[in-house]
Amino acid sequence: MRGHDQINTFLPDELILEMFGRLDSKPSRDACSLVCKRWLALERLSRTTLRICATGSPDLVVDLLAGRFPNVRTIHIDERLNISLPCQPPGRRRRTDIAAVSSVKLHCASEKNGSPDAGSDSCSLSDAGLTAIGEGFPKLEKLSLIWCSSVSSLGLISLAEKCILLKSLDLQGCYVGDQGLAAVGQSCKQLEDLNLRFCEGLTDVCLVELALGVGKSLKSLGIAACAKITDTAMEAVGLHCKSLKNLSLDAEFIHNKGVVAVAQGCPALKSMKLQCINVTDEALSAVGTSCPSLEVLALYSFQRFTDKGLSAIGNGCKKLKNLILSDCYFLSDNALESIATGCKELTHLEVNGCHNIGTMGLESVGKSCPRLTELALLYCQRIGNFALSEVGRGCQFLQALHLVDCSSIGDEAICSIATGCRNLKKLHIRRCYEIGNTGIVAVGENCRSLTDLSLRFCDRVGDEALIAVAQCSSLQYLNVSGCHQIGDAGLIAIARGCPQLSYLDVSVLQNLGDMAMAELGEGCPNLKDIVLSHCRQITDVGINHLVKHCTMLASCHMVYCPGITSSGVATVVSSCPDIKKVLVEKCKVSSRTKRRAASVISYLCVDL
């Protein structure tokens, strides 16, 4: 019936809101909001998350948005984002406001959306902006203020008094003082998650006040680079925050006394991440004795504890699932053996730069931890093939393996993993020079669920390996940069066997040419990111074939490719509507291409 709006006549608000909730992108929701005044109002009601840049004119942006989106529960403000608001001309306020909000490219999306690109500007969010947030979003539950260096206690006090439903507060890099955080403790009685990383202005006083105010609700606390926070604050946390589950500490002025107080006072602790140079075995012994529910333990740059501390964890923390040991120089095989025999539920293990841990320690993990799903060995020169052979025999559910600079691990180990861990989905290997075609062929033949493969600078890997990997039809991510034996034959096999490929890095492959690019264009239409830098045999011809069918391409790096000229760069820009980044030498961008796509082109300045 022409002239009759039957949708708005017969559909109730609840049904339209349900439809808006099922839209999977911000542009679709923005388009719906422009249909009519009713849909604009309803779409505003459906918004639960706002992402705003903290540079440019953030106070004005917040002021414009306040009250327009009454159901917003989450606001993310980041000074690293580079989105500015043009000056507002006088008159016609309503239309101008809408245009201004549109011009800042406000990121309004669901929580699953990723963070935008980083940037910087001169004007930051101020206390006035925080006051506007408090007045405009009374239902706010989650607020992130990332590097908003111009806010102070005054703004935080104003916000805390209005947003009493706040459950999560991230103040990373904000120079707020004790009074502001104390106000949060007094007003926000439901606060569960607090991040104070790089908040240099805080002292023990504010944390003591906070613990007194929200101790019953606080579940997660992160502190890093807060030089004035000492054991006194941690003792208050241990005394009042009985429900604390997650603790992250990176502090040089916190000693055993503070960590012990938290361990003994917070028995429900599930995750602990420590980078405290003054903590020793005494603290870990307290954790092992008092925190039986601990599931995640990360120890970074520890030089003052030994196998004794890990033995206490293995004896007491039977539910431990995730263990990270980074630069723990005094740990030996005995430490891993204690964890393996005591923590049967271990699923994730990372050993990074622990030079005294060798083959025997990892053998214990392979024999005793059948639930292991992810293993990372970084800079472990003393771990050899037999260790991974035990993992292959005992950890059939392993899904991810990361190896970096492990000079004693070769094809024999990778073959054992491939035959024993057929559920492997991710394999990342970098600079492991004893691994070649034999091991990777075994992976291709046995691990058909592989989706993510990185073989950076493994110079014994060639086309034979990639021809076998091409049998993994679910492969989506492939990085073979620096594997100089790989040429067209290997990439052609990938193109023909892996149609779901979306990321490809073939940089520094001197034998790769246009034939492989043509095959990739034909066989991998879902390709979104490609790195071709330092590929001297690829020319404009190959680029033309690639982008002819790979129209979803979003980023393309092609520096130091002498065969690619300004014509090839223009082809990429004009043929790929979703392109967001093209990295090239400045001399290869014509004036026309620069006018057409200056925002997506990044330059590598070189003297030619």
Side-chain angles (χ1 to χ4, degrees):
M1 296 175 62
R2 184 172 299 177
H4 292 271
D5 186 354
Q6 296 197 26
I7 292 179
N8 278 325
T9 300
F10 294 105
L11 294 186
D13 290 351
E14 293 78 12
L15 189 55
I16 296 179
L17 284 172
E18 178 69 19
M19 291 190 295
F20 287 162
R22 294 178 181 270
L23 296 175
D24 59 357
S25 67
K26 177 183 178 295
S28 299
R29 298 177 65 166
D30 287 343
C32 287
S33 70
L34 298 177
V35 170
C36 62
K37 291 182 179 180
R38 182 193 180 201
W39 283 31
L40 176 62
L42 290 175
E43 200 278 331
R44 287 176 176 174
L45 291 176
S46 71
R47 302 272 181 166
T48 60
T49 299
L50 301 180
R51 292 185 180 272
I52 305 171
C53 168
T55 57
S57 302
D59 292 343
L60 177 57
V61 174
V62 170
D63 185 58
L64 289 172
L65 297 177
R68 291 173 180 256
F69 304 101
N71 290 324
V72 163
R73 301 292 194 276
T74 301
I75 295 180
H76 180 92
I77 303 178
D78 195 335
E79 191 164 322
R80 297 169 299 180
L81 308 184
N82 187 20
I83 311 167
S84 59
L85 182 68
C87 295
Q88 179 179 347
R92 305 183 68 178
R93 175 175 174 80
R94 181 181 176 189
R95 292 183 61 185
T96 304
D97 288 354
I98 296 174
V101 174
S102 176
S103 69
V104 299
K105 301 178 181 178
L106 176 68
H107 292 260
C108 304
S110 63
E111 288 78 2
K112 66 183 179 180
N113 287 356
S115 299
D117 293 336
S120 61
D121 208 335
S122 58
C123 182
S124 302
L125 184 78
S126 71
D127 291 337
L130 282 187
T131 301
I133 290 174
E135 294 176 349
F137 305 100
K139 297 181 181 179
L140 193 65
E141 296 180 357
K142 183 176 182 179
L143 176 63
S144 296
L145 303 175
I146 309 299
W147 297 104
C148 297
S149 53
S150 295
V151 300
S152 69
S153 285
L154 291 177
L156 199 55
I157 291 171
S158 176
L159 177 107
E161 291 174 348
K162 297 290 175 36
C163 299
I164 60 174
L165 300 178
L166 203 63
K167 293 183 178 180
S168 176
L169 179 60
D170 189 342
L171 296 174
Q172 178 174 316
C174 298
Y175 198 86
V176 293
D178 289 341
Q179 293 180 340
L181 200 60
V184 172
Q186 293 169 5
S187 301
C188 306
K189 298 299 183 180
Q190 300 181 37
L191 190 69
E192 297 179 356
D193 187 355
L194 179 63
N195 183 10
L196 302 176
R197 294 177 62 82
F198 307 106
C199 295
E200 298 178 358
L202 301 179
T203 71
D204 289 337
V205 174
C206 69
L207 269 186
V208 171
E209 291 289 332
L210 185 85
L212 288 170
V214 299
K216 293 182 179 180
S217 63
L218 195 65
K219 295 180 180 179
S220 180
L221 176 63
I223 298 174
C226 300
K228 298 177 182 179
I229 291 179
T230 68
D231 291 335
T232 301
M234 293 298 100
E235 288 178 315
V237 170
L239 183 61
H240 300 289
C241 304
K242 302 298 182 182
S243 300
L244 193 70
K245 293 183 178 180
N246 304 303
L247 177 65
S248 177
L249 288 181
D250 180 356
E252 58 181 311
F253 295 106
I254 291 178
H255 302 74
N256 287 332
K257 186 178 180 182
V259 178
V260 169
V262 173
Q264 293 177 346
C266 307
L269 207 63
K270 288 189 175 182
S271 174
M272 176 176 281
K273 300 178 181 180
L274 299 177
Q275 188 165 347
C276 306
I277 60 174
N278 291 311
V279 171
T280 68
D281 287 336
E282 180 185 344
L284 288 187
S285 296
V287 173
T289 302
S290 304
C291 303
S293 299
L294 194 71
E295 295 181 1
V296 178
L297 178 62
L299 305 174
Y300 299 98
S301 302
F302 271 77
Q303 301 180 27
R304 297 190 61 185
F305 75 91
T306 65
D307 295 343
K308 179 181 177 181
L310 264 291
S311 177
I313 297 295
N315 291 331
C317 303
K318 302 298 183 180
K319 296 182 179 180
L320 192 69
K321 295 181 179 179
N322 190 324
L323 176 63
I324 297 175
L325 303 174
S326 180
D327 296 325
C328 300
Y329 301 131
F330 295 108
L331 293 183
S332 71
D333 291 334
N334 294 330
L336 269 193
E337 185 177 0
S338 298
I339 293 294
T341 55
C343 307
K344 303 291 186 180
E345 297 186 16
L346 194 70
T347 59
H348 293 73
L349 174 63
E350 177 180 325
V351 182
N352 184 350
C354 302
H355 303 305
N356 287 317
I357 293 179
T359 299
M360 292 180 60
L362 195 61
E363 282 180 42
S364 302
V365 174
K367 293 176 180 178
S368 303
C369 301
R371 299 184 182 182
L372 195 70
T373 59
E374 183 167 358
L375 175 62
L377 303 176
L378 315 177
Y379 312 102
C380 296
Q381 309 295 337
R382 296 184 58 191
I383 295 180
N385 287 329
F386 192 71
L388 283 186
S389 297
E390 286 294 341
V391 172
R393 279 190 285 268
C395 306
Q396 61 177 329
F397 299 111
L398 191 72
Q399 296 185 10
L401 176 63
H402 307 258
L403 301 174
V404 176
D405 280 0
C406 295
S407 58
S408 299
I409 293 177
D411 284 333
E412 179 184 345
I414 301 302
C415 288
S416 298
I417 292 291
T419 54
C421 309
R422 294 175 179 263
N423 294 314
L424 197 69
K425 294 182 178 180
K426 176 186 288 188
L427 177 61
H428 281 203
I429 302 175
R430 187 173 73 196
R431 293 194 301 268
C432 295
Y433 301 117
E434 295 301 314
I435 296 175
N437 285 332
T438 303
I440 305 304
V441 167
V443 171
E445 292 176 346
N446 293 281
C447 306
R448 298 301 177 84
S449 299
L450 195 71
T451 60
D452 187 335
L453 177 63
S454 178
L455 303 170
R456 297 178 61 190
F457 296 97
C458 296
D459 56 8
R460 293 182 58 212
V461 174
D463 288 333
E464 180 184 350
L466 286 197
I467 291 171
V469 170
Q471 301 176 70
C472 306
S473 58
S474 299
L475 193 69
Q476 299 176 17
Y477 180 105
L478 178 62
N479 187 336
V480 289
S481 61
C483 300
H484 61 82
Q485 293 192 34
I486 291 177
D488 284 346
L491 265 297
I492 289 173
I494 292 292
R496 294 176 178 177
C498 306
Q500 299 184 43
L501 195 69
S502 63
Y503 179 95
L504 177 64
D505 186 341
V506 290
S507 54
V508 205
L509 298 192
Q510 303 300 324
N511 298 321
L512 194 65
D514 291 337
M515 186 67 70
M517 294 298 102
E519 291 283 349
L520 286 169
E522 290 285 344
C524 303
N526 296 322
L527 196 63
K528 294 182 179 179
D529 303 280
I530 189 166
V531 183
L532 305 171
S533 301
H534 297 271
C535 292
R536 306 185 67 84
Q537 303 300 322
I538 296 176
T539 70
D540 292 343
V541 175
I543 293 297
N544 285 331
H545 284 292
L546 176 71
V547 301
K548 184 177 181 180
H549 298 287
C550 295
T551 55
M552 297 174 63
L553 206 64
S555 72
C556 181
H557 294 199
M558 43 188 174
V559 296
Y560 296 115
C561 298
I564 299 177
T565 69
S566 58
S567 176
V569 175
T571 299
V572 172
V573 170
S574 60
S575 301
C576 305
D578 296 329
I579 197 74
K580 293 180 175 62
K581 182 177 181 180
V582 177
L583 181 63
V584 292
E585 298 94 327
K586 193 170 185 178
C587 63
K588 292 184 179 180
V589 181
S590 65
S591 299
R592 181 179 180 183
T593 301
K594 188 182 299 183
R595 290 194 302 270
R596 182 172 187 172
S599 62
V600 304
I601 297 177
S602 298
Y603 299 116
L604 180 70
C605 296
V606 294
D607 296 325
L608 298 178

